[in-house]
């Protein structure tokens, strides 16, 4: 039996799965839920006292689903531990815990890293003081992870919690704690079990490019959500993070090293530090918060066993379309179109143009792209259109497809001409809303999608989103080499700012007025090396760009080059890297197919398409559609339990921001909130709610550090304070 709240969630998931597998879903019926959160969210938590391995008193905050105690047969629930930022376990983290409990049916617990009796710097203290205080933990992984493990042990011992389904999310300083925890506590026991956590998420953490790496293997699935303009997650630090994760999560089979534990990184364009904290003035970004929250919650759903990534390959249902490239002497092209079932006469729908990874001399774009077009039509209600790039060139040049592809990589203008031809053609198709177009590509087609995205003013104003899947980023990085200086700033201090001073901007390639990249074939002669420069900075149209990359397929140095190019041109992008993922990871028939990376990357695409195709804001692509009930940007929809290319959404008539807060009839042993300015009243620390299931986990010290008493009072001092308080009361 499941608790009422859990059953509600599972019922919703079942309904979503049924709807997503239906033959046709029109965009009129699809909408995303509003972002779950905001400064007005109430808190429903009870303070809980516990201690770490050295007996230091800590006070966390527990939030339970409102109806958890209404059924005596409540089954243990998944739990999420929240690691606080540098301000401590305050309102923001308590709001997050409440959301997880009331909207998802999880047990939410805000951990305490600082210690209850620790004297913290004043809120307006200079960074020299507050930074020194925080560094006692961020620079001391032994102490930091000791405090984290105390929370893990406490939560796993709760009767309400399924100890095999405990996740953790850390914000800012807490995100740094997540990285430390992976390095120290990330390895499973010798029997292959007893991993303390099901999955962890670091949200805008502070990373270092010279920190220590993992002490052993990392057996905990992990997700890192960062801002593209956050100087605390610069390029070298991200490269170091990937290197550490590859080392820690991989198995050496004797022939190759493969990642056995999944990890994922996501970068959000133009986003700085603390983007998820709605109480941080000047830092909060609603859209990045909505997208990162969705990425986090769907990640946890998988690690908690609530969804699975399964392959769902449809039979292609397409019609042949012949069209031409008018800019290249009416060069003949052969594409395919798939229409949603139940499409009515006069109805105008968005269209998704698919740039293929492979083409055949016999049938044009391959079966895979035709199947993806069919899924677009079936699962989203959009029109799927497979474009042609070089089918007839195979006849003309009598060579292999790979050879023709290299010709297009060396003549980007001709490639862009083929993409323009597809965009122009779909605008003339019956049933197409010519103002709602997306361009996506796979492999070779993924490179083309990025060439198109980087062409600036060449991008048609009707194209709202551009996506690249395993897009052979080395080709794109090399094509933009004249925009990129030879070396990045070693400290990453200006990462995302686009400036490092004077004319030596890293990544900008500023050498004069003709420095902007985009090659143009002046004479339109095949593979002509003659080029001209075209300015990109004049373009005001900003489509949303999605880049899905395999960590084993694209080199990090190429990723860094590409991201700097995107930053320099002011692009709106989202860049995701998946572990144990090589080229062609979305292609079912390929040996590199990765169900997890394929499902999560297409879910990200689906949420962006829903956003841009339903937007009512200006055409610059920077605004999210709004929900009348909250004014909040649209959040991404819940993923389905099959590997669908694009997840559809379900219309909601109510705002699911947070469930009504109704206190449980019984609650765990609550500890009073203690202020250090007051004489403390100490609640019992030896008895968490429920029986103790696992003893505190011990790990070796990895640094030579002072005792944790530098930041806290000892239990002996606590006893003295308690006795003093009792005498005063008497």
């Amino acid at each position: 039996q499941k608790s009422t709240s859990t059953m509600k969630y599972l019922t919703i998931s079942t309904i979503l799965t049924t709807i997503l597998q239906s033959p046709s879903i029109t965009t009129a019926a699809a909408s995303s839920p509003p972002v779950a959160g905001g400064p007005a969210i109430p808190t429903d938590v009870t303070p809980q006292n516990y201690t770490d391995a050295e007996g230091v008193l800590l006070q966390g905050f527990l939030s339970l689903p409102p109806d958890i105690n209404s059924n005596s047969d409540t089954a243990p629930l998944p739990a999420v531990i929240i690691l606080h930022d540098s301000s401590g376990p305050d309102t923001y983290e308590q709001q997050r815990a409440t959301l997880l409990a009331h909207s998802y049916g999880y047990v939410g617990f805000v951990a305490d890293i600082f210690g209850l009796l620790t004297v913290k710097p004043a809120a307006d203290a200079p960074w020299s003081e507050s930074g020194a205080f925080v560094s006692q933990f961020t620079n001391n992984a032994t102490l930091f992870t000791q405090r984290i493990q105390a929370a893990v042990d406490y939560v796993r011992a709760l009767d309400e919690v399924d100890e095999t389904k405990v996740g953790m999310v850390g914000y800012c300083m807490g995100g740094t704690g997540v990285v430390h925890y992976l390095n120290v506590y990330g390895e499973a026991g010798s029997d292959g079990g007893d991993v303390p956590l099901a999955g962890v998420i670091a949200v805008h953490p502070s990373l270092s490019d010279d920190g220590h790496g993992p002490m052993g293997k990392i057996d905990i699935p992990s997700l890192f959500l960062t801002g593209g303009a956050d100087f605390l997650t610069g390029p070298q630090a991200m490269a170091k993070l990937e290197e550490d994760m590859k080392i820690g999560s991989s198995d050496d089979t004797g022939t190759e090293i493969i990642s056995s534990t999944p990890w994922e990184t996501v970068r959000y364009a133009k986003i700085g530090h603390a983007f998820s904290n709605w109480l941080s003035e000047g830092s909060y970004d609603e859209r990045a918060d909505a997208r990162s929250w969705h990425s986090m919650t769907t990640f946890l759903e998988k690690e908690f066993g609530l969804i699975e990534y399964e392959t769902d390959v449809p039979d292609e249902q397409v019609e042949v379309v012949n069209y031409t490239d008018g800019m290249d002497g009416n060069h003949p092209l052969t594409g395919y179109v798939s229409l949603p079932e139940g499409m009515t006469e006069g109805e105008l729908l968005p269209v998704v143009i698919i740039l293929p990874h492979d083409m055949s001399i016999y049938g044009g774009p391959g079966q895979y792209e035709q199947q993806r077009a069919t899924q677009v039509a079936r699962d989203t209600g959009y029109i799927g259109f497979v474009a042609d790039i070089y089918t007839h060139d195979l006849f003309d040049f009598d060579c292999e497809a790979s050879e023709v592809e290299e010709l297009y990589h060396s003549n980007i203008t001709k490639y862009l001409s083929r993409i323009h031809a597809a965009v122009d053609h779909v605008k003339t198709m019956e049933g197409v809303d010519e103002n709602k177009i997306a361009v996506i590509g796979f492999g070779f087609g993924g490179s083309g999608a990025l060439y198109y995205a980087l062409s600036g003013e060449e991008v048609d104003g009707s194209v709202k989103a551009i996506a690249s899947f395993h897009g052979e980023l080395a080709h794109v990085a090399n094509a933009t080499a004249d925009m990129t200086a030879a070396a990045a700033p070693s400290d990453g201090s200006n990462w995302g700012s686009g400036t490092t001073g004077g004319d030596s901007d890293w990544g900008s390639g500023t050498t004069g007025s003709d420095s902007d990249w985009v090659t143009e074939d002046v004479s339109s002669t095949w593979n002509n090396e003659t080029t001209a420069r075209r300015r990109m900075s004049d373009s005001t149209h900003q489509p949303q760009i999605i880049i899905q990359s395999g960590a084993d397929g694209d080199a990090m140095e190429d990723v860094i080059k590409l991201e700097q190019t995107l930053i320099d041109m002011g692009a709106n992008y989202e860049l995701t890297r998946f572990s144990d993922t090589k080229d062609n990871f979305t292609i079912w028939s390929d040996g590199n197919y990765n169900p997890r990376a394929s499902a999560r990357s297409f879910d990200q695409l689906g949420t962006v398409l829903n956003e841009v195709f339903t937007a009512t804001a200006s055409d610059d692509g920077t605004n999210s559609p709004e929900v009348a009930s909250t004014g909040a940007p649209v959040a991404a929809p819940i993923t389905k339990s099959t590997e669908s290319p694009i997840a559809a959404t379900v219309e909601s008539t109510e705002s699911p921001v947070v469930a009504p807060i109704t206190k449980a009839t019984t609650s765990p042993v609550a500890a009073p909130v203690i202020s250090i300015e007051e004489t403390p009243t100490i609640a019992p620390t030896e008895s968490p709610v429920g029986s103790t299931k696992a003893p505190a986990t011990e790990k070796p010290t990895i640094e030579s550090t002072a005792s944790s008493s530098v930041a806290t009072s000892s239990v002996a001092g606590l006893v003295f304070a308690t006795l003093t308080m009792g005498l005063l009361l008497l």
Side-chain angles (χ1 to χ4, degrees):
Q1 294 185 1
K2 295 288 183 182
S3 71
T4 303
S5 56
T6 303
M7 288 304 297
K8 285 179 180 177
Y9 177 79
L10 294 176
T11 300
I12 292 172
S13 297
T14 301
I15 293 172
L16 282 170
T17 300
T18 302
I19 293 176
L20 288 167
Q21 291 175 337
S22 63
S24 174
I25 303 173
T26 63
T27 54
S31 61
S32 296
V35 62
I41 292 297
T43 60
D44 180 22
V45 298
T46 55
Q48 303 289 305
N49 289 347
Y50 62 107
T51 59
D52 72 357
E54 294 184 352
V56 175
L57 180 65
L58 308 168
Q59 187 173 83
F61 296 89
L62 181 69
S63 186
L64 299 176
D67 54 359
I68 189 172
N69 294 302
S70 62
N71 184 345
S72 60
D73 294 324
T74 297
L77 300 173
V80 181
I81 298 169
I82 299 173
L83 304 183
H84 59 75
D85 58 22
S86 60
S87 64
D90 53 20
T91 301
Y92 171 71
E93 288 81 12
Q94 294 173 35
Q95 289 174 320
R96 290 288 186 188
T98 302
L99 283 168
L100 289 166
H102 285 256
S103 296
Y104 292 84
Y106 301 151
V107 173
F109 184 79
V110 181
D112 179 11
I113 302 302
F114 293 154
L116 179 59
L117 301 181
T118 300
V119 179
K120 296 182 285 292
D124 58 352
W127 178 246
S128 58
E129 180 181 348
S130 58
F133 173 78
V134 170
S135 67
Q136 295 178 94
F137 302 93
T138 57
N139 293 343
N140 184 342
T142 300
L143 175 60
F144 206 157
T145 56
Q146 176 179 297
R147 297 289 169 82
I148 295 172
Q149 188 59 40
V152 172
D153 291 336
Y154 181 84
V155 170
R156 294 182 73 197
L158 295 174
D159 282 342
E160 294 83 0
V161 171
D162 181 343
E163 65 178 326
T164 67
K165 296 180 180 179
V166 178
M168 182 166 67
V169 56
Y171 295 93
C172 297
M173 168 189 157
T176 305
V178 167
V179 177
H180 284 324
Y181 191 84
L182 287 170
N183 287 333
V184 178
Y185 283 91
E187 187 170 7
S190 59
D191 59 354
D194 196 33
V195 177
L197 295 172
V200 297
I201 305 97
V203 186
H204 42 77
S206 173
L207 300 176
S208 170
D209 59 359
D210 59 359
H212 62 79
M215 295 177 60
K217 284 186 86 287
I218 296 176
D219 296 313
I220 303 175
S222 51
L223 172 65
F224 306 90
L225 304 166
T226 64
D230 186 351
F231 69 97
L232 293 174
T233 51
Q236 305 309 319
M238 292 301 294
K240 176 65 164 56
L241 174 66
E242 280 205 8
E243 179 184 357
D244 288 345
M245 293 306 298
K246 285 183 177 180
I247 293 173
S249 65
S250 299
D251 289 328
D252 191 344
T253 65
T255 57
E256 63 176 339
I257 298 177
I258 59 173
S259 295
S260 57
T261 304
W263 54 265
E264 178 183 334
T265 66
V266 186
R267 306 274 287 168
Y268 303 103
K270 306 177 184 177
I271 300 301
H273 196 62
F275 63 78
S276 73
N277 190 341
W278 47 65
L279 300 180
S280 179
E281 185 177 355
S283 300
Y284 181 59
D285 186 275
E286 288 182 323
R287 183 177 186 275
D289 180 32
R291 294 195 61 74
S292 61
W293 180 258
H294 171 71
S295 186
M296 181 195 84
T297 53
T298 55
F299 171 85
L300 287 174
E301 287 162 12
K302 174 62 175 70
E303 302 315 319
F304 290 160
L306 298 175
I307 59 174
E308 293 296 334
Y309 303 131
E310 299 176 355
T311 302
D312 177 21
V313 183
D315 295 329
E316 58 273 23
Q317 298 178 6
V318 296
E319 297 178 3
V320 176
V321 176
N322 293 313
Y323 63 109
T324 62
D325 183 354
M327 296 299 293
D328 189 23
N330 290 323
H331 182 85
L333 299 166
T334 301
Y336 296 91
V337 64
S338 183
L339 303 176
E341 292 186 16
M343 184 175 176
T344 60
E345 184 177 356
E347 184 179 13
L348 297 180
L349 299 175
V351 61
V352 177
I353 298 173
I354 299 173
L355 306 181
H357 83 294
D358 189 23
M359 278 148 279
S360 166
I361 194 172
Y362 302 105
Q367 182 184 39
Y368 170 76
E369 286 77 15
Q370 297 174 40
Q371 292 169 333
R372 286 298 189 187
T374 301
Q375 282 194 315
V376 166
R378 183 194 69 181
D379 293 345
T380 70
Y382 307 145
I383 296 172
F385 181 83
V386 183
D388 186 12
I389 304 298
Y390 62 74
T391 296
H392 291 269
D393 296 320
L394 293 172
F395 288 100
D396 297 339
F397 294 95
D398 190 25
C399 59
E400 298 295 326
S402 59
E403 297 176 86
V404 177
E405 289 176 5
E406 288 303 317
L407 294 176
Y408 273 88
H409 281 306
S410 62
N411 189 332
I412 296 171
T413 299
K414 186 171 287 289
Y415 203 156
L416 292 176
S417 181
R418 297 288 189 262
I419 299 173
H420 287 308
V423 173
D424 292 341
H425 178 75
V426 298
K427 285 186 173 184
T428 68
M429 290 170 49
E430 184 177 355
V432 168
D433 185 338
E434 64 178 31
N435 293 312
K436 295 180 179 180
I437 301 173
V439 174
I440 71 174
F442 305 92
F444 168 74
S447 297
L450 289 175
Y451 292 146
Y452 186 61
L454 293 169
S455 67
E457 62 187 16
E458 288 289 308
V459 177
D460 192 288
S462 298
V463 175
K464 309 302 184 186
I466 302 171
S468 170
F469 297 83
H470 42 84
E472 303 172 1
L473 300 188
H475 284 292
V476 183
N478 290 335
T480 59
D482 62 343
M483 281 190 72
T484 307
S490 59
D491 61 357
S493 60
N494 289 289
W495 174 252
S497 66
T499 58
T500 55
D503 290 335
S504 60
D505 296 352
W506 175 64
S508 68
T510 306
T511 56
S513 60
D514 64 345
S515 62
D516 292 324
W517 175 84
V518 172
T519 60
E520 181 177 15
D521 183 353
V522 175
S523 64
S524 71
T525 302
W526 176 257
N527 202 30
N528 193 312
E529 296 297 333
T530 305
T531 61
R533 302 293 183 187
R534 178 182 295 114
R535 300 291 297 178
M536 293 189 300
S537 58
D538 295 334
S539 176
T540 58
H541 176 55
Q542 292 287 330
Q544 295 292 341
I545 302 170
I546 305 172
I547 303 165
Q548 307 290 354
S549 169
D552 297 329
D554 298 312
M556 190 60 179
E557 62 180 307
D558 293 326
V559 173
I560 291 174
K561 289 180 183 178
L562 174 60
E563 187 172 10
Q564 185 60 61
T565 300
L566 293 165
I567 290 170
D568 290 339
M569 65 182 291
N572 297 321
Y573 66 88
E574 187 172 312
L575 194 159
T576 303
R577 298 269 282 169
F578 297 99
S579 66
D580 189 27
T581 306
K582 302 177 181 178
D583 294 335
N584 299 337
F585 63 79
T586 70
I587 299 175
W588 299 301
S589 61
D590 195 281
N592 291 336
Y593 173 64
N594 184 308
R596 182 190 186 98
S598 182
R600 287 187 62 79
S601 62
F602 272 97
D603 176 63
Q604 291 180 13
L605 171 64
T607 61
V608 167
L609 293 183
N610 181 74
E611 174 189 331
V612 299
F613 287 160
T614 58
T616 57
S618 61
D619 187 48
D620 63 2
T622 60
N623 295 304
S624 301
E626 294 187 350
V627 178
S629 60
T630 63
V634 167
I638 298 173
T639 54
K640 60 181 291 187
S641 58
T642 58
E643 193 283 312
S644 172
I646 302 174
T649 54
V650 179
E651 186 174 26
S652 174
T653 58
E654 298 180 348
S655 173
V657 173
V658 65
I661 293 184
T662 56
K663 293 288 185 179
T665 55
T666 60
S667 70
V669 177
V673 178
I674 299 176
S675 169
I676 60 174
E677 288 82 11
E678 302 172 347
T679 304
T681 301
I682 306 303
T685 61
E686 72 279 1
S687 177
V689 179
S691 59
T692 301
K693 301 175 184 175
T697 305
E698 296 183 357
K699 278 287 178 175
T701 301
I702 62 173
E703 296 130 348
S704 175
T705 63
S707 167
S708 61
S709 62
V710 299
T712 62
S713 299
S714 67
V715 169
L718 175 60
V719 172
F720 176 79
T722 305
L723 293 174
T724 302
M725 175 206 66
L727 291 173
L728 288 173
L729 291 176
L730 290 173

